[in-house]
Amino acid sequence: MTVTSIDVLDSVVDITAQTESDTISESLITTILQLTPANQVLVLDYNPDTNPDFMVVACSDIFLFEEEKDAIERVLRSCVAIGDNVVEYSKTDNQSLLAVPIRFGEKDDIHAVVFCKCDQVKGDEVQLIEGLAKIYENYQKIISASERDGLTGLYNRKVLTTKIDLLLDRFLIQGSSITDDPTHHHWVCIFDIDHFKQINDTLGHVFGDEVILLITAMMKQNFDDEDILFRYGGDEFVAIMHPQSREDMEATVRNFFDAVNNRDYGQAKNVSISMGAASINDQELNAITVLGFADQSLYKAKQNGRNQVAFYEDLIASGELKSLVPEDDVELF
C-alpha cells in the first residue's frame, strides 16, 4: 500500500474536522483502515479501577471484541503494562495484532488504547498508525477541554446525552447487557439547589458561584470515581452512577445529602438540594428518555417539600406519575 503525504494530510484534516470525542474516534478508525494494512480497528477506554477495565468506544467490526476477546485483551494488557506499542504476530491466521496507548489527563496516564488487526505490518506502517494515534490523542485533549464547564470542571450540558447514549451503545457493542446482575443498574440523578435564585439575589452572583463550587467539591468527594458528573447549567447538576444496587445507590445519595445539609455556607446559612433519580437499563430507548424520567422525579421532589430525593420507579408504582411516553424528536429539557 503506497501512502502519499497528501493522503496523510487529508486524514489529519478529516480527524480535526470533528467536534466531539466520539466522532473523532470514528474518524480515526476510518483513516487507519484507509491508510494502513489494518482490516479491523478498535478504540477502547481504559480504567484500571472499573470492571471491565477496557470498554469499547468505537469499532470497525461490532463482533470483533467478543469473538477474539482473549487475544485482544492479552495485547491490550501488555501495551498498558509496558506503556508503549505492542505488536504480536498470530501464526493461526497470519495476522498482526497491534496496540498503541493513548494518554490523557494531568498525570499523562494511559486512558485509552487503539487496537488494530492487520496483515503483517511493517515498521513504517506501525509508525504511521502511531502517528495517527498521536494526532488523535492531542486533538482529544483539546476536545476534552471544550466538554468541561469553565467554573466547576465538571462535564457540561453539551455532552450529557452523548455520554448516556455512548454508555448504552458500548454494552451493545461488547455483547453484554448493562450489568450481569439484574439487581444492579446504572443510575441517573438530576438535582438542583433549593431557592438558589434567592442566594444570588440577596448575596450576589459571586457568592452564588462559591456555593456552586462547594456543591461541586462535595459531589467529587461523595460520588465514586466511576460516576460521571455534569453541571447541566446554573445550579442544576447530573450524576450518572456506575452499576450498583439501589441500596448502595441510596447510601451514596444519603451521604451526599448529609454533606450538603451539614456544610457551613456562611451568610447563606442553610443550603439544601432536591433530586430526581431513575435507573438505566438496556431496555431504555435513549438518553432523552432516561433524563426525562429523572427530570419528572426532580419536579416531584420539589413539589413534595424539597431537600429530598424522589425515585421514578417509586412514583410510577404509587401512581404519582404516569409512565412517560417519549417522542424521539422532542427535547425534554
Side-chain angles (χ1 to χ4, degrees):
M1 177 181 294
T2 302
V3 178
T4 68
S5 57
I6 297 298
D7 293 330
V8 175
L9 181 60
D10 286 344
S11 72
V12 173
V13 171
D14 288 340
I15 292 174
T16 56
Q18 310 307 315
T19 58
E20 295 183 0
S21 297
D22 305 323
T23 55
I24 297 173
S25 300
E26 297 288 353
S27 182
L28 174 67
I29 288 174
T30 301
T31 298
I32 291 176
L33 291 173
Q34 289 175 342
L35 300 186
T36 75
N39 46 56
Q40 292 168 317
V41 184
L42 298 174
V43 178
L44 306 99
D45 276 347
Y46 171 68
N47 185 342
D49 299 322
T50 64
N51 185 23
D53 47 358
F54 290 103
M55 189 73 77
V56 177
V57 175
C59 61
S60 59
D61 182 348
I62 196 170
F63 302 109
L64 177 62
F65 187 84
E66 196 63 26
E67 291 176 350
E68 303 184 33
K69 186 174 182 179
D70 291 343
I72 293 173
E73 286 198 341
R74 183 180 64 251
V75 177
L76 295 177
R77 296 191 190 287
S78 178
C79 172
V80 170
I82 67 173
D84 203 351
N85 301 341
V86 169
V87 181
E88 180 180 298
Y89 178 66
S90 173
K91 293 182 179 180
T92 305
D93 52 9
N94 294 319
Q95 293 281 292
S96 294
L97 308 180
L98 168 66
V100 180
I102 303 295
R103 300 177 183 275
F104 296 141
E106 296 178 359
K107 298 180 180 179
D108 208 33
D109 293 330
I110 295 174
H111 284 277
V113 180
V114 178
F115 172 86
C116 304
K117 184 176 182 181
C118 45
D119 297 329
Q120 293 189 39
V121 62
K122 301 174 184 177
D124 57 343
E125 293 165 339
V126 172
Q127 289 181 335
L128 176 56
I129 294 173
E130 183 182 16
L132 293 171
K134 179 58 70 173
I135 293 169
Y136 169 82
E137 174 183 290
N138 291 341
Y139 199 58
Q140 278 284 26
K141 292 176 182 178
I142 296 172
I143 295 298
S144 178
S146 75
E147 294 179 343
R148 297 285 180 172
D149 173 62
L151 178 64
T152 64
L154 302 178
Y155 281 111
N156 58 32
R157 173 176 182 159
K158 181 181 75 171
V159 295
L160 175 57
T161 56
T162 302
K163 293 291 182 183
I164 299 177
D165 280 334
L166 178 60
L167 177 69
L168 297 170
D169 290 345
R170 284 178 183 175
F171 283 93
L172 291 175
I173 288 172
Q174 296 194 201
S176 305
S177 61
I178 292 296
T179 174
D180 294 330
D181 187 338
T183 67
H184 285 53
H185 303 279
H186 282 83
W187 299 85
V188 171
C189 303
I190 298 178
F191 71 90
D192 62 17
I193 302 171
D194 295 330
H195 307 298
F196 185 69
K197 185 176 185 300
Q198 292 181 14
I199 296 175
N200 278 336
D201 289 347
T202 58
L203 300 174
H205 289 273
V206 172
F207 193 93
D209 284 349
E210 289 298 321
V211 172
I212 291 289
L213 289 171
L214 288 173
I215 295 291
T216 300
M218 286 182 279
M219 287 180 72
K220 293 177 179 178
Q221 291 167 1
N222 286 276
F223 286 92
D224 195 276
D225 289 341
E226 297 178 52
D227 301 333
I228 311 174
L229 308 179
F230 302 80
R231 184 186 182 196
Y232 189 72
D235 64 317
E236 291 182 288
F237 298 84
V238 175
I240 303 175
M241 300 178 69
H242 70 282
Q244 57 194 287
S245 66
R246 170 155 169 176
E247 180 181 15
D248 290 341
M249 179 270 183
E250 285 194 76
T252 297
V253 168
R254 185 166 55 250
N255 289 337
F256 178 50
F257 268 76
D258 288 344
V260 172
N261 289 330
N262 295 330
R263 176 79 195 197
D264 180 4
Y265 298 92
Q267 297 179 68
K269 306 235 179 255
N270 297 325
V271 173
S272 63
I273 62 173
S274 297
M275 178 183 289
S279 62
I280 304 177
N281 60 67
D282 47 7
Q283 303 302 312
E284 306 300 358
L285 297 179
N286 51 42
I288 296 298
T289 302
V290 177
L291 289 169
F293 294 162
D295 193 49
Q296 283 189 316
S297 304
L298 169 60
Y299 177 79
K300 284 295 182 181
K302 295 163 77 73
Q303 192 178 55
N304 292 335
R306 302 177 189 270
N307 195 20
Q308 60 185 272
V309 56
F311 287 85
Y312 178 77
E313 291 78 9
D314 292 350
L315 295 168
I316 292 296
S318 67
E320 287 191 66
L321 281 180
K322 294 182 178 180
S323 296
L324 177 68
V325 180
E327 296 182 30
D328 291 342
D329 59 346
V330 176
E331 285 282 351
L332 296 174
F333 290 89

Coordinates of all heavy atoms in Angstrom, one line a residue, residues 258-323:
D258 N -26.4 14.5 53.3 CA -25.9 14.9 54.7 C -24.7 15.9 54.6 O -24.7 16.8 55.4 CB -25.4 13.6 55.4 CG -26.5 12.7 55.9 OD1 -27.7 13.2 55.9 OD2 -26.2 11.5 56.2
A259 N -23.8 15.7 53.6 CA -22.7 16.6 53.4 C -23.2 18.0 53.1 O -22.7 19.0 53.6 CB -21.8 16.1 52.4
V260 N -24.2 18.0 52.2 CA -24.7 19.3 51.8 C -25.5 20.0 52.9 O -25.3 21.2 53.2 CB -25.7 19.1 50.6 CG1 -26.5 20.5 50.3 CG2 -25.0 18.7 49.3
N261 N -26.2 19.2 53.7 CA -27.0 19.8 54.8 C -26.2 20.3 55.9 O -26.5 21.2 56.7 CB -28.1 18.8 55.2 CG -29.2 18.6 54.2 OD1 -29.5 19.6 53.5 ND2 -29.8 17.5 54.2
N262 N -25.1 19.6 56.2 CA -24.2 19.9 57.3 C -23.1 20.9 57.1 O -22.4 21.3 58.0 CB -23.6 18.6 57.9 CG -24.6 17.6 58.4 OD1 -25.7 18.0 58.9 ND2 -24.4 16.3 58.3
R263 N -23.0 21.3 55.8 CA -21.9 22.3 55.4 C -22.2 23.7 56.0 O -23.4 24.1 56.0 CB -21.8 22.3 53.9 CG -20.8 23.3 53.4 CD -19.4 22.8 53.5 NE -18.4 23.9 53.3 CZ -17.1 23.7 53.0 NH1 -16.7 22.5 52.9 NH2 -16.3 24.7 52.9
D264 N -21.2 24.4 56.4 CA -21.3 25.8 56.8 C -21.2 26.7 55.5 O -20.1 26.7 54.9 CB -20.3 26.1 57.8 CG -20.4 27.6 58.3 OD1 -21.3 28.3 57.9 OD2 -19.5 28.0 59.0
Y265 N -22.2 27.4 55.2 CA -22.2 28.2 54.0 C -22.1 29.7 54.3 O -22.4 30.6 53.5 CB -23.4 28.0 53.1 CG -23.5 26.6 52.6 CD1 -24.2 25.6 53.3 CD2 -22.9 26.2 51.4 CE1 -24.3 24.3 52.8 CE2 -23.0 24.9 50.9 CZ -23.7 24.0 51.7 OH -23.8 22.7 51.2
G266 N -21.7 30.0 55.6 CA -21.6 31.4 56.0 C -22.9 32.2 55.9 O -23.9 31.7 56.5
Q267 N -22.9 33.2 55.2 CA -24.1 34.1 55.1 C -25.3 33.4 54.5 O -26.4 33.8 54.7 CB -23.8 35.3 54.2 CG -22.7 36.2 54.9 CD -22.4 37.4 54.0 OE1 -23.2 38.3 53.8 NE2 -21.2 37.5 53.4
A268 N -25.1 32.4 53.7 CA -26.2 31.7 53.0 C -27.0 30.8 54.0 O -28.0 30.3 53.7 CB -25.7 30.8 51.9
K269 N -26.4 30.6 55.2 CA -27.0 29.8 56.2 C -27.3 28.4 55.7 O -26.4 27.7 55.3 CB -28.3 30.5 56.8 CG -28.0 31.9 57.2 CD -28.5 32.1 58.6 CE -28.1 33.6 59.0 NZ -27.0 33.6 59.9
N270 N -28.6 28.0 55.7 CA -28.9 26.6 55.3 C -29.0 26.5 53.7 O -29.7 27.3 53.1 CB -30.2 26.2 55.9 CG -30.1 26.1 57.4 OD1 -29.1 25.8 57.9 ND2 -31.2 26.5 58.1
V271 N -28.3 25.6 53.2 CA -28.4 25.3 51.7 C -28.8 23.8 51.6 O -28.3 22.9 52.3 CB -27.1 25.5 51.0 CG1 -27.2 25.0 49.6 CG2 -26.7 27.0 51.0
S272 N -29.8 23.5 50.7 CA -30.2 22.1 50.5 C -30.4 21.9 49.0 O -30.4 22.8 48.2 CB -31.5 21.9 51.3 OG -32.6 22.7 50.8
I273 N -30.6 20.6 48.7 CA -30.8 20.3 47.3 C -32.1 19.4 47.1 O -32.5 18.8 48.1 CB -29.6 19.5 46.7 CG1 -29.4 18.2 47.4 CG2 -28.4 20.4 46.7 CD1 -28.3 17.3 46.8
S274 N -32.6 19.3 45.9 CA -33.7 18.4 45.6 C -33.2 17.6 44.4 O -32.6 18.1 43.5 CB -35.0 19.1 45.2 OG -35.4 19.9 46.3
M275 N -33.5 16.3 44.4 CA -33.0 15.3 43.4 C -34.1 14.4 42.9 O -35.0 14.0 43.6 CB -31.9 14.5 44.1 CG -31.3 13.5 43.1 SD -30.0 12.5 43.9 CE -28.7 13.7 44.1
G276 N -34.0 14.1 41.6 CA -34.8 13.1 41.0 C -33.8 12.0 40.4 O -32.8 12.3 39.9
A277 N -34.2 10.7 40.6 CA -33.3 9.6 40.2 C -34.1 8.6 39.4 O -35.3 8.3 39.7 CB -32.7 9.0 41.4
A278 N -33.4 8.0 38.5 CA -34.0 6.9 37.7 C -32.9 5.9 37.3 O -31.8 6.3 37.1 CB -34.7 7.4 36.4
S279 N -33.3 4.6 37.3 CA -32.3 3.6 36.9 C -32.2 3.5 35.3 O -33.2 3.9 34.6 CB -32.7 2.2 37.4 OG -34.0 1.8 36.9
I280 N -31.1 3.1 34.8 CA -30.9 2.9 33.4 C -30.8 1.4 33.2 O -30.1 0.7 33.9 CB -29.5 3.5 32.9 CG1 -29.5 5.0 33.2 CG2 -29.4 3.3 31.4 CD1 -28.1 5.6 32.8
N281 N -31.5 0.9 32.2 CA -31.4 -0.5 31.8 C -31.4 -0.6 30.3 O -31.6 0.4 29.6 CB -32.5 -1.3 32.4 CG -33.9 -0.9 31.9 OD1 -34.2 -1.0 30.7 ND2 -34.7 -0.4 32.8
D282 N -31.0 -1.7 29.8 CA -30.8 -1.9 28.4 C -32.1 -1.9 27.6 O -32.1 -2.1 26.4 CB -29.9 -3.1 28.0 CG -30.4 -4.3 28.8 OD1 -31.5 -4.3 29.4 OD2 -29.7 -5.3 28.7
Q283 N -33.2 -1.7 28.2 CA -34.5 -1.6 27.5 C -34.9 -0.1 27.2 O -35.8 0.1 26.5 CB -35.6 -2.2 28.4 CG -35.3 -3.7 28.8 CD -35.1 -4.6 27.6 OE1 -35.9 -4.5 26.6 NE2 -34.1 -5.3 27.6
E284 N -34.2 0.8 27.8 CA -34.5 2.2 27.6 C -34.2 2.6 26.1 O -33.3 2.1 25.5 CB -33.7 3.1 28.5 CG -33.8 2.8 30.0 CD -35.2 2.9 30.5 OE1 -36.1 3.3 29.8 OE2 -35.4 2.6 31.7
L285 N -35.0 3.5 25.6 CA -34.8 3.9 24.2 C -33.6 4.7 24.0 O -32.8 4.5 23.0 CB -36.1 4.7 23.8 CG -37.4 3.9 23.8 CD1 -38.5 4.9 23.4 CD2 -37.3 2.7 22.9
N286 N -33.3 5.7 24.8 CA -32.2 6.6 24.5 C -32.0 7.5 25.8 O -32.7 7.4 26.8 CB -32.4 7.5 23.3 CG -33.8 8.2 23.3 OD1 -34.2 8.7 24.4 ND2 -34.5 8.2 22.2
A287 N -31.0 8.4 25.7 CA -30.6 9.3 26.8 C -31.8 10.2 27.1 O -32.0 10.5 28.3 CB -29.4 10.1 26.4
I288 N -32.5 10.7 26.1 CA -33.5 11.7 26.4 C -34.6 11.0 27.2 O -35.2 11.7 28.1 CB -34.2 12.2 25.0 CG1 -33.1 13.0 24.2 CG2 -35.4 13.0 25.3 CD1 -32.6 14.2 24.9
T289 N -34.9 9.8 27.0 CA -35.9 9.1 27.8 C -35.5 9.0 29.2 O -36.3 9.3 30.1 CB -36.1 7.6 27.2 OG1 -36.5 7.7 25.8 CG2 -37.2 6.9 28.0
V290 N -34.3 8.5 29.5 CA -33.8 8.4 30.8 C -33.8 9.7 31.6 O -34.2 9.8 32.7 CB -32.4 7.7 30.8 CG1 -31.9 7.6 32.2 CG2 -32.4 6.3 30.2
L291 N -33.3 10.7 30.9 CA -33.2 12.0 31.5 C -34.6 12.6 31.8 O -34.9 13.2 32.9 CB -32.5 13.0 30.6 CG -31.0 12.8 30.5 CD1 -30.4 13.6 29.4 CD2 -30.3 13.1 31.8
G292 N -35.6 12.2 31.0 CA -37.0 12.6 31.2 C -37.5 12.0 32.5 O -38.2 12.6 33.3
F293 N -37.2 10.7 32.7 CA -37.6 10.0 33.9 C -37.1 10.8 35.2 O -37.8 11.0 36.1 CB -37.1 8.6 34.0 CG -37.7 7.7 32.9 CD1 -37.1 6.5 32.6 CD2 -38.9 8.0 32.2 CE1 -37.6 5.6 31.6 CE2 -39.4 7.2 31.3 CZ -38.8 6.0 30.9
A294 N -35.8 11.0 35.2 CA -35.2 11.7 36.3 C -35.7 13.1 36.5 O -35.9 13.6 37.6 CB -33.7 11.7 36.2
D295 N -35.9 13.8 35.4 CA -36.4 15.2 35.5 C -37.8 15.3 36.1 O -38.1 16.1 36.9 CB -36.4 15.8 34.1 CG -36.5 17.3 34.2 OD1 -35.9 18.0 35.0 OD2 -37.4 17.9 33.4
Q296 N -38.7 14.3 35.7 CA -40.0 14.3 36.2 C -40.0 14.0 37.7 O -40.7 14.6 38.5 CB -40.8 13.2 35.6 CG -41.4 13.5 34.2 CD -42.3 12.5 33.7 OE1 -42.1 11.3 33.9 NE2 -43.4 12.9 33.1
S297 N -39.0 13.2 38.1 CA -38.9 12.8 39.6 C -38.4 14.0 40.4 O -38.8 14.3 41.5 CB -37.9 11.7 39.7 OG -38.3 10.6 39.0
L298 N -37.4 14.8 39.8 CA -37.0 16.0 40.4 C -38.1 17.0 40.7 O -38.2 17.6 41.7 CB -35.9 16.7 39.5 CG -35.5 18.1 40.0 CD1 -34.9 18.1 41.4 CD2 -34.4 18.7 39.0
Y299 N -39.0 17.2 39.7 CA -40.1 18.0 39.8 C -41.0 17.6 41.0 O -41.4 18.4 41.8 CB -41.0 18.0 38.6 CG -42.2 18.9 38.6 CD1 -42.2 20.3 38.5 CD2 -43.5 18.3 38.9 CE1 -43.3 21.0 38.6 CE2 -44.6 19.0 39.0 CZ -44.5 20.4 38.8 OH -45.7 21.2 39.0
K300 N -41.2 16.3 41.2 CA -42.0 15.8 42.3 C -41.3 16.0 43.6 O -41.9 16.3 44.6 CB -42.3 14.3 42.1 CG -43.3 14.0 41.1 CD -44.7 14.6 41.5 CE -45.8 14.2 40.5 NZ -47.1 14.8 40.9
A301 N -40.0 15.9 43.7 CA -39.2 16.1 44.9 C -39.4 17.5 45.4 O -39.5 17.8 46.5 CB -37.7 15.8 44.7
K302 N -39.3 18.5 44.4 CA -39.5 19.9 44.7 C -41.0 20.1 45.2 O -41.2 20.9 46.1 CB -39.1 20.7 43.5 CG -37.7 20.6 43.2 CD -37.4 21.1 41.8 CE -37.4 22.6 41.7 NZ -36.1 23.2 42.3
Q303 N -41.9 19.5 44.5 CA -43.3 19.7 44.8 C -43.7 19.2 46.2 O -44.6 19.7 46.8 CB -44.1 19.0 43.7 CG -45.6 19.3 43.7 CD -46.3 18.6 42.5 OE1 -46.2 17.4 42.4 NE2 -47.0 19.4 41.7
N304 N -43.0 18.1 46.6 CA -43.3 17.4 47.8 C -42.5 18.0 49.0 O -42.5 17.4 50.1 CB -43.1 15.9 47.7 CG -44.0 15.3 46.8 OD1 -45.1 15.8 46.5 ND2 -43.7 14.2 46.2
G305 N -41.8 19.1 48.9 CA -41.2 19.8 50.0 C -39.7 20.0 49.9 O -39.1 20.6 50.8
R306 N -39.1 19.6 48.8 CA -37.6 19.9 48.6 C -36.8 19.1 49.6 O -37.3 18.4 50.5 CB -37.3 21.4 48.6 CG -38.1 22.2 47.6 CD -37.8 23.7 47.7 NE -38.7 24.4 46.8 CZ -38.5 24.8 45.5 NH1 -37.3 24.4 45.0 NH2 -39.3 25.5 44.8
N307 N -35.4 19.3 49.5 CA -34.5 18.7 50.4 C -34.7 17.1 50.5 O -34.7 16.6 51.5 CB -34.5 19.3 51.7 CG -33.2 18.9 52.6 OD1 -32.2 18.5 52.0 ND2 -33.3 19.0 53.9
Q308 N -34.9 16.5 49.3 CA -35.2 15.1 49.3 C -34.9 14.5 47.9 O -34.8 15.3 46.9 CB -36.7 14.8 49.6 CG -37.7 15.4 48.7 CD -39.1 15.2 49.2 OE1 -39.7 14.2 48.8 NE2 -39.6 16.2 50.0
V309 N -34.8 13.2 47.8 CA -34.7 12.5 46.5 C -35.9 11.7 46.2 O -36.5 11.1 47.1 CB -33.4 11.6 46.5 CG1 -33.5 10.5 47.6 CG2 -33.3 10.9 45.1
A310 N -36.4 11.8 45.0 CA -37.6 11.1 44.5 C -37.2 10.1 43.4 O -36.4 10.5 42.5 CB -38.7 12.0 44.0
F311 N -37.6 8.9 43.5 CA -37.3 7.8 42.5 C -38.4 7.6 41.5 O -39.6 7.5 41.9 CB -37.0 6.5 43.2 CG -35.7 6.5 44.0 CD1 -35.6 7.0 45.2 CD2 -34.5 6.0 43.3 CE1 -34.3 7.0 45.9 CE2 -33.3 6.0 44.0 CZ -33.2 6.5 45.3
Y312 N -38.0 7.6 40.3 CA -39.0 7.5 39.2 C -39.8 6.2 39.4 O -41.1 6.2 39.3 CB -38.3 7.5 37.8 CG -39.3 7.3 36.7 CD1 -40.1 8.3 36.2 CD2 -39.3 6.1 36.0 CE1 -40.9 8.1 35.2 CE2 -40.2 5.9 35.0 CZ -41.0 6.9 34.5 OH -41.9 6.7 33.5
E313 N -39.1 5.1 39.7 CA -39.8 3.8 39.8 C -40.8 3.8 41.0 O -41.9 3.3 40.8 CB -38.8 2.7 40.1 CG -37.9 2.4 38.9 CD -36.8 3.4 38.7 OE1 -36.6 4.2 39.5 OE2 -36.1 3.3 37.6
D314 N -40.5 4.5 42.1 CA -41.5 4.6 43.2 C -42.7 5.5 42.8 O -43.8 5.2 43.2 CB -40.8 5.2 44.4 CG -39.7 4.3 45.0 OD1 -39.6 3.2 44.6 OD2 -38.9 4.8 45.8
L315 N -42.4 6.5 42.1 CA -43.5 7.4 41.7 C -44.5 6.8 40.7 O -45.7 7.0 40.8 CB -43.0 8.7 41.1 CG -42.1 9.6 42.0 CD1 -41.4 10.7 41.2 CD2 -43.0 10.2 43.1
I316 N -43.9 5.9 39.9 CA -44.8 5.1 38.9 C -45.6 4.1 39.7 O -46.8 4.0 39.5 CB -43.9 4.4 37.9 CG1 -43.3 5.4 36.9 CG2 -44.8 3.4 37.1 CD1 -44.3 6.2 36.1
A317 N -44.9 3.4 40.7 CA -45.6 2.4 41.4 C -46.7 3.0 42.3 O -47.8 2.3 42.5 CB -44.6 1.6 42.3
S318 N -46.5 4.2 42.8 CA -47.5 4.8 43.7 C -48.6 5.5 42.9 O -49.6 5.9 43.5 CB -46.8 5.8 44.6 OG -46.3 6.9 43.9
G319 N -48.4 5.7 41.6 CA -49.4 6.4 40.8 C -49.3 7.9 40.8 O -50.0 8.6 40.1
E320 N -48.2 8.4 41.4 CA -48.0 9.8 41.4 C -47.5 10.3 40.0 O -47.7 11.5 39.6 CB -46.9 10.2 42.4 CG -47.4 10.2 43.9 CD -46.4 10.9 44.8 OE1 -46.2 12.1 44.7 OE2 -45.8 10.2 45.6
L321 N -46.9 9.4 39.3 CA -46.5 9.7 37.9 C -47.1 8.6 37.0 O -47.2 7.4 37.4 CB -45.0 9.7 37.7 CG -44.2 10.9 38.2 CD1 -42.8 10.7 37.9 CD2 -44.7 12.2 37.4
K322 N -47.4 9.0 35.8 CA -47.8 8.0 34.8 C -46.6 7.8 33.9 O -45.7 8.7 33.7 CB -48.9 8.6 33.9 CG -50.3 8.8 34.7 CD -51.4 9.2 33.7 CE -52.7 9.4 34.5 NZ -53.8 9.8 33.6
S323 N -46.5 6.6 33.3 CA -45.3 6.3 32.5 C -45.1 7.3 31.4 O -46.1 7.6 30.7 CB -45.5 4.9 31.9 OG -45.5 3.9 32.9

